[in-house]
Amino acid sequence: MSGALEKPVIAAVNGYAMGGGFMLVERTDLRVAAREAVFEVSEAKRWLLGGYNHGHIANLPYPIAMEMALGFRFTAQRFYEIGFVNRLVEADQLMPSAFAMAEHLLTLPPASRVNTVHMMRQMRPTPTPELQCLAAALREHGAKSDLMESRAAFAEKRAPRFKGWNNPEDRYHLPSLDTLKS
């Protein structure tokens, strides 16, 4: 996740890439997906703050990033169309396609490959320290019991019964960049 690996990383996705699995995919350099693959950022369903940074890291347009942050599922086809997935293939061609990409990378001069990957990774967008501070404050803005309720409801295969805020008035007092500076 740190980007310290000097080698390009290729994801071959078949099945579901959700939650932590999605986070692993988004940190890769190249992505091949079987047509049946499904992607989802799950934080909004399990935490007090959704996966606000995932679409940002992927450099996707705001409406797509918003959809991701709010926990909507994406098909491999849709992710291919918006540029999140490099190659969309039939399931039986998943690994051959990933290996073909790796073989191409091996034809490049080593210094060129390493330097290019390093530069491309440096250009990835990251949330500013101020926005990271705001995200930390927003993670605390709500009833902590909802976190456990979301997990219990998931495990019990039932609809969750969320509380929202311990004090309903807190809904109207969201932390902001301005209030954090004060």
Side-chain angles (χ1 to χ4, degrees):
M1 296 293 271
S2 71
L5 183 65
E6 294 179 349
K7 299 175 182 179
V9 179
I10 303 169
V13 183
N14 189 12
Y16 292 91
M18 299 177 161
F22 179 88
M23 290 174 66
L24 291 173
V25 171
E26 88 175 330
R27 291 296 184 173
T28 62
D29 301 298
L30 301 166
R31 302 165 189 146
V32 181
R35 292 187 185 282
E36 299 80 19
V38 176
F39 300 82
E40 179 185 287
V41 175
S42 303
E43 283 99 332
K45 294 179 179 181
R46 309 281 178 257
W47 295 92
L48 299 173
L49 178 64
Y52 71 94
N53 57 335
H54 298 290
H56 180 77
I57 291 169
N59 210 15
L60 296 174
Y62 177 81
I64 303 296
M66 178 64 81
E67 197 173 350
M68 287 174 66
L70 292 173
F72 285 88
R73 286 191 179 176
F74 287 79
T75 63
Q77 177 71 42
R78 178 113 185 271
F79 263 0
Y80 175 74
E81 290 167 358
I82 62 175
F84 186 81
V85 168
N86 298 89
R87 306 269 191 282
L88 185 62
V89 298
E90 299 301 327
D92 65 344
Q93 290 303 305
L94 182 65
M95 294 312 294
S97 295
F99 285 128
M101 292 178 98
E103 288 167 8
H104 167 76
L105 295 172
L106 292 173
T107 69
L108 302 175
S112 174
R113 181 180 60 241
V114 169
N115 292 345
T116 301
V117 168
H118 179 74
M119 186 64 191
M120 292 298 293
R121 288 178 180 165
Q122 299 310 304
M123 293 169 44
R124 264 190 190 150
T126 57
T128 64
E130 294 82 13
L131 288 176
Q132 290 176 7
C133 186
L134 177 58
L138 287 167
R139 281 189 190 95
E140 300 300 319
H141 184 73
K144 291 291 190 181
S145 60
D146 281 355
L147 172 61
M148 298 311 296
E149 171 59 15
S150 71
R151 292 177 179 176
F154 179 78
E156 297 166 12
K157 297 184 182 355
R158 61 171 172 79
R161 295 179 295 276
F162 293 125
K163 185 175 184 177
W165 291 267
N166 292 327
N167 176 356
E169 284 299 309
D170 286 345
R171 176 189 182 117
Y172 305 104
H173 304 289
L174 289 163
S176 69
L177 290 173
D178 292 333
T179 61
L180 292 176
K181 290 178 187 175
S182 322

